[in-house]
Structures are given as structure tokens and as C-alpha cells.
């Protein structure tokens, strides 16, 4: 087999055999197929599509590109959550410790910022000293001691996704359902979990803009997971505006810590409770979602969830003092307030644009090797549906780089749409599958 023949085959709309998918994934993972050929194949497959069998072969091949873990010495049900990516989405920092405090173990392998969306690893690494690159032995040991462990992909776990994820980011081939399904399910199935909760996002700030596309992606991932013997559920959640009040790395970590301190108002806290409650249900801790919600609230209000977070930060080399003194997180030298130019209701906040603004201020990466400015971020004072008067603050930008400040503040202003009438409220969780 030659890569160019497979690129041609897909370019012309033909279907691959499982052996051909295996050839491509193994060749790329072992550096036998170069980036330029894999990029061409990715784009051909992006445009032509992959059918159900090809997608399944892709998941299996990526899953078995590395080790598939098991945790026989952790007697609790092992459960994780994964989001398809959004703006302001820091739920992992709350739900992993909250679910762990309620009787499941959470071996979580997360990603970095991808396109305009933020990444859990970058948020965690804003905590001074926090190490997300643990060896597998360290990962197992932290999981055993803390009930949760939060790491990035290693060379051992789904290495095919590690390479492909970065290449897709640079070749505009992220938002494809088969690629997203294979990327997410390969690394999640390799973690050694019994159950998985998927947060599948739709809307302007998500990779799947349309609800129906997100729903079909969720159904495909559930099918793949269940065929591999796991309990999987999916929440379809609205990503038409950023989640919570803050977007950026250190500022989102701060916001997550505030929820762990018991500040349970707003969409971000609501989603944390929903997702972690479903983790308890798929983990078999309880069958009743209301019971699960009560347990999660209880674990947060009693401080147990925060204590788990302190413990895991410490176990992974970080400064757990940030939990009580968030000013120890990186900050920004400058700030600028954006005000409403007219009175009315906030009708839309372009989530993807807010994500790109934070990225352009250094809060995300253009290339994998780029350094992150953890202190850059945006605070949203007004969210969709809020009434604002002319001259009132809409948002504050926090930044270290003065260079692009005028242009980025103009874009931040333009990301807000103010209308005369109050918009119809949209549910945060549209459907649970
Ligand atoms: N998150 C992932 O892990 N993979 C994708 O492809 C998209 C979002």
C-alpha cells in the first residue's frame, strides 16, 4: 500500500477497508507517513466523509495505537466526562473533584486548546507547578490516592490522537464528526473507564454549529462506546455564548475554584452539577439523577470537592494554595472595560469570536510549540438576556500585551449584539441521550 493511493481513493469518494485505515494510522503514528500526506488524506476524508465502518475502524485503530489501561487496584467505578470543546468551558476542574468526592474514580485525560476553544490542560497548567505530563505509573498512583487524576495524552495512551489532534488543528480539519468521534472515543476508551458522560456542544462557539449535527455526533459516540462495553450518556448543551463569566486560562481556573467554594449560581455551575450528576448515574452510584444532583451539591457545599481538588493539585506538583488565595494564579498587567453603546437586552455574544480574541491575546496557541499567556482573559459582566443601559460595562479585557489592545477591544465590543426586545431564553441542556 502507498499513502498516495489511499489519498487518491478517498479524494475520489471511495470507501476504505479497515486494513487501509490501519495502514494510515499506524504509518502516521510511527512517523512513516509524513505530515503532508496525512494532511492531504485528512482533507480528502473531511470533504468526502467516512462511513460507519470506516469511523469504527478509525476509533479502534487509534485506541490500539497505544496502551489500554485498567485499574484493578481502584475498587470504585471508573467514570470520565469529555466535552467536544467550547469557550469558557472549565467544567472538568469542578466535576472531576466533585464526582470523585461522591464515590467514583475519575481517570481524566484531557486536551489542550484547539482552534478557538480552550483546553483543560492549559487551565490546569496555569496553576504554578501543576504537572499534566505524568508517567502512567504516576497517573495510576495519583488516581489511587486522590480518586482522580488529570493528565494530558502521553506517548503511551492513544498516541495516534496526540499526533492527529495537532495536525487537524493546523489543517482546518477539526470539525468533522468521524474525526471528533475517533479522537474523543479513542483516548477515553484507553483510560480504563467503565462509564463516560459526553458534553456535546452545539452553536456558535462549538465545532458542531447545528443541533442536529451535534446530536448525530453524540449518537455515533454513544454507539461506539456501548459496543466497546461501556455505559455512555450524552448531554447536548448550548454553546451559543461563552460558558460562565470568564474566558481565559487562569481566570477560568479562578472561576472553577469559586464554584468549588460553593458559588453555585449561573450557567457554569448548573452545567457542572448536571454533568457530574450524570457521572454518578453512569457509574452506578445511584439511578436517580435528582439524588445524584443532591450528592454533588452536598459535596461542593461541604467543601469535600474542593478538598479533593487541593489534594490532586498537590499530588501533581502544583501550588494548592491557589484554592484559598487565587491571586497566586498568573494575572494581567492591563485591563480595559467595554461599555454598552446603547440600551437594551444582550441578544447574542459571539462565543467563537470571544475565544479567538483571548487566543489572539496569547491565551491560546497558533502552533503547538507556542507559549501561553495564562493571565490573558475576558470577564463577561453581561450575558445573553441581561438588560443593560447605555454606558454600563459589558465586559472587561485583561491582558499583558498592549500591542493588539485597540483592535481586540473593538472586536470584543462587536461580539456583543444588543437588541430592543428581551430574547427568548434557551435551555442550557437541550437533550440528554
Ligand atoms: N475534543 C477532542 O478530544 N477531540 C476533537 O477532535 C475535538 C474535541
Amino acid at each position: 500500500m502507498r499513502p498516495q493511493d489511499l489519498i487518491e481513493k478517498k479524494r475520489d469518494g471511495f470507501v476504505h477497508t479497515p486494513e487501509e485505515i490501519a495502514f494510515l494510522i499506524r504509518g502516521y503514528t510511527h512517523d512513516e507517513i509524513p505530515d503532508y500526506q496525512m494532511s492531504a488524506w485528512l482533507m480528502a476524508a473531511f470533504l468526502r466523509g467516512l462511513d460507519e465502518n470506516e469511523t469504527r475502524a478509525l476509533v479502534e485503530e487509534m485506541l490500539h495505537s497505544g496502551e489500554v489501561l485498567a485499574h484493578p487496584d481502584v475498587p470504585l467505578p471508573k467514570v470520565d466526562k469529555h466535552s467536544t470543546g467550547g469557550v469558557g468551558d472549565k467544567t472538568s476542574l469542578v466535576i472531576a473533584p466533585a464526582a470523585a468526592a461522591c464515590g467514583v474514580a475519575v481517570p481524566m485525560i484531557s486536551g489542550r486548546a484547539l482552534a478557538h476553544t480552550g483546553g483543560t490542560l492549559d487551565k490546569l497548567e496555569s496553576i504554578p507547578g501543576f504537572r499534566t505530563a505524568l508517567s502512567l505509573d504516576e497517573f495510576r498512583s495519583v488516581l489511587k490516592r486522590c480518586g482522580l487524576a488529570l493528565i494530558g495524552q502521553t506517548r503511551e495512551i492513544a498516541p495516534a490522537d496526540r499526533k492527529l489532534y495537532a495536525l487537524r488543528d493546523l489543517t482546518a480539519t477539526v470539525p468533522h464528526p468521524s474525526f471528533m468521534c475517533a479522537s474523543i472515543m479513542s483516548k477515553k476508551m484507553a483510560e480504563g473507564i467503565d462509564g463516560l458522560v459526553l458534553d456535546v456542544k452545539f452553536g456558535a462557539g462549538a465545532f458542531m454549529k447545528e443541533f442536529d449535527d451535534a446530536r448525530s455526533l453524540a449518537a455515533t459516540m454513544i454507539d461506539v462506546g456501548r459496543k466497546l462495553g461501556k455505559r455512555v450518556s450524552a448531554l447536548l448543551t448550548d454553546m451559543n455564548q461563552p460558558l460562565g463569566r470568564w474566558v481565559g486560562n487562569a481566570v477560568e481556573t479562578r472561576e472553577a475554584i469559586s464554584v468549588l467554594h460553593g458559588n453555585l449560581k449561573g450557567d457554569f455551575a448548573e452545567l457542572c452539577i448536571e454533568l457530574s450528576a450524570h457521572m454518578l448515574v453512569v457509574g452506578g452510584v445511584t439511578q436517580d439523577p435528582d439524588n445524584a444532583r443532591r450528592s454533588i451539591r452536598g459535596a461542593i457545599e461541604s467543601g469535600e470537592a474542593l478538598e479533593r481538588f487541593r489534594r490532586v493539585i498537590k499530588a501533581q506538583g502544583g501550588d494548592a494554595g491557589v484554592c484559598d488565595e487565587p491571586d497566586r494564579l498568573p494575572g494581567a498587567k492591563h485591563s480595559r472595560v467595554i461599555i454598552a453603546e446603547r440600551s437594551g437586552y444582550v441578544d447574542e455574544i459571539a462565543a467563537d469570536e470571544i475565544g479567538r480574541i483571548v487566543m489572539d491575546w496569547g491565551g491560546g496557541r497558533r502552533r503547538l510549540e507556542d507559549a501561553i499567556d495564562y493571565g490573558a482573559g475576558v470577564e463577561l459582566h453581561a450575558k445573553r438576556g441581561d438588560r443593560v443601559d447605555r454606558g454600563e460595562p459589558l465586559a472587561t479585557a485583561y491582558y499583558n500585551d498592549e500591542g493588539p489592545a485597540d483592535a481586540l477591544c473593538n472586536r470584543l465590543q462587536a461580539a456583543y449584539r444588543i437588541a430592543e426586545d428581551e430574547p427568548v431564553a434557551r435551555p442550557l441542556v437541550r437533550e440528554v441521550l
Side-chain angles (χ1 to χ4, degrees):
M1 264 187 243
R2 298 187 316 161
Q4 54 269 49
D5 297 330
L6 301 186
I7 296 167
E8 184 181 314
K9 187 170 178 181
K10 194 37 88 181
R11 181 199 69 194
D12 295 342
F14 294 100
V15 174
H16 287 307
T17 62
E19 292 72 29
E20 289 170 346
I21 299 275
F23 172 80
L24 285 165
I25 298 303
R26 284 178 209 174
Y28 186 58
T29 310
H30 295 115
D31 298 327
E32 287 150 10
I33 297 179
D35 283 349
Y36 57 84
Q37 283 186 308
M38 202 59 192
S39 304
W41 180 81
L42 281 174
M43 188 52 84
F46 185 93
L47 296 173
R48 290 294 193 171
L50 296 174
D51 72 13
E52 203 182 305
N53 290 334
E54 289 172 299
T55 304
R56 216 173 137 64
L58 192 60
V59 177
E60 299 254 357
E61 208 43 58
M62 286 169 64
L63 166 62
H64 294 292
S65 64
E67 273 191 51
V68 178
L69 302 182
H71 308 281
D73 50 348
V74 178
L76 301 170
K78 269 74 69 186
V79 180
D80 194 9
K81 169 292 326 190
H82 195 81
S83 150
T84 54
V87 177
D89 181 1
K90 58 242 137 200
T91 58
S92 295
L93 277 61
V94 173
I95 68 174
C102 293
V104 295
V106 187
M108 188 179 270
I109 298 177
S110 304
R112 299 198 174 276
L114 190 61
H116 61 282
T117 67
T120 299
L121 295 184
D122 300 317
K123 290 165 207 180
L124 288 169
E125 286 174 0
S126 73
I127 300 172
F130 195 100
R131 288 169 53 230
T132 59
L134 302 188
S135 69
L136 287 187
D137 281 346
E138 286 175 310
F139 179 53
R140 289 192 187 96
S141 152
V142 174
L143 181 67
K144 205 168 154 193
R145 282 183 287 138
C146 304
L148 73 158
L150 308 163
I151 63 162
Q153 264 174 290
T154 67
R155 281 184 207 294
E156 294 97 342
I157 303 169
D161 180 52
R162 187 178 142 112
K163 275 195 88 180
L164 277 172
Y165 197 82
L167 189 65
R168 285 168 55 220
D169 194 21
L170 299 177
T171 55
T173 52
V174 170
H176 185 282
S178 297
F179 294 162
M180 289 177 70
C181 171
S183 161
I184 292 170
M185 298 311 280
S186 63
K187 58 180 169 268
K188 295 286 126 175
M189 296 297 111
E191 287 174 339
I193 49 173
D194 307 303
L196 176 65
V197 175
L198 295 161
D199 178 5
V200 183
K201 299 196 176 292
F202 61 91
F207 289 121
M208 296 286 130
K209 306 292 176 208
E210 303 301 328
F211 175 77
D212 288 345
D213 293 338
R215 197 176 188 285
S216 128
L217 170 63
T220 307
M221 290 196 286
I222 289 175
D223 185 53
V224 164
R226 288 186 184 159
K227 283 191 175 131
L228 289 167
K230 312 294 176 191
R231 293 183 70 176
V232 186
S233 66
L235 278 68
L236 286 141
T237 69
D238 192 302
M239 190 19 83
N240 280 299
Q241 67 171 334
L243 186 65
R245 294 268 168 186
W246 294 87
V247 181
N249 292 294
V251 291
E252 286 189 47
T253 301
R254 225 175 220 275
E255 192 176 14
I257 290 171
S258 155
V259 168
L260 286 168
H261 271 284
N263 297 319
L264 295 180
K265 286 211 186 79
D267 58 350
F268 166 49
E270 179 191 337
L271 189 55
C272 289
I273 291 170
E274 284 306 306
L275 290 168
S276 44
H278 279 87
M279 287 169 77
L280 301 190
V281 173
V282 300
V285 173
T286 170
Q287 297 305 315
D288 175 7
D290 278 336
N291 236 341
R293 287 183 192 102
R294 271 193 295 277
S295 302
I296 294 292
R297 278 182 177 274
I300 293 176
E301 281 159 1
S302 68
E304 278 173 72
L306 184 61
E307 185 46 35
R308 289 280 175 154
F309 196 46
R310 278 195 198 96
R311 230 194 278 171
V312 79
I313 294 175
K314 227 164 142 192
Q316 296 194 210
D319 174 10
V322 298
C323 292
D324 301 293
E325 291 172 55
D327 283 348
R328 291 157 86 140
L329 289 163
K333 288 198 276 269
H334 313 286
S335 64
R336 211 185 281 188
V337 180
I338 308 299
I339 55 165
E341 288 173 334
R342 53 177 290 203
S343 299
Y345 290 91
V346 176
D347 191 44
E348 291 295 347
I349 308 172
D352 48 347
E353 179 63 348
I354 303 276
R356 279 191 292 267
I357 290 167
V358 173
M359 185 175 96
D360 289 347
W361 244 317
R365 291 182 188 79
R366 265 170 225 295
R367 308 186 59 84
L368 204 62
E369 58 275 16
D370 287 351
I372 291 247
D373 180 346
Y374 293 111
V378 167
E379 179 180 9
L380 307 171
H381 303 293
K383 296 252 315 189
R384 185 171 184 275
D386 287 349
R387 165 93 207 161
V388 287
D389 287 328
R390 189 162 180 262
E392 264 191 290
L394 291 176
T396 302
Y398 294 88
Y399 53 93
N400 290 305
D401 183 5
E402 273 280 23
D406 287 342
L408 293 180
C409 285
N410 286 339
R411 282 170 53 190
L412 187 52
Q413 182 94 53
Y416 268 87
R417 195 171 75 204
I418 312 284
E420 224 157 84
D421 299 324
E422 186 174 0
V424 178
R426 293 191 287 238
L428 179 59
V429 180
R430 177 123 157 227
E431 194 177 343
V432 178
L433 295 179

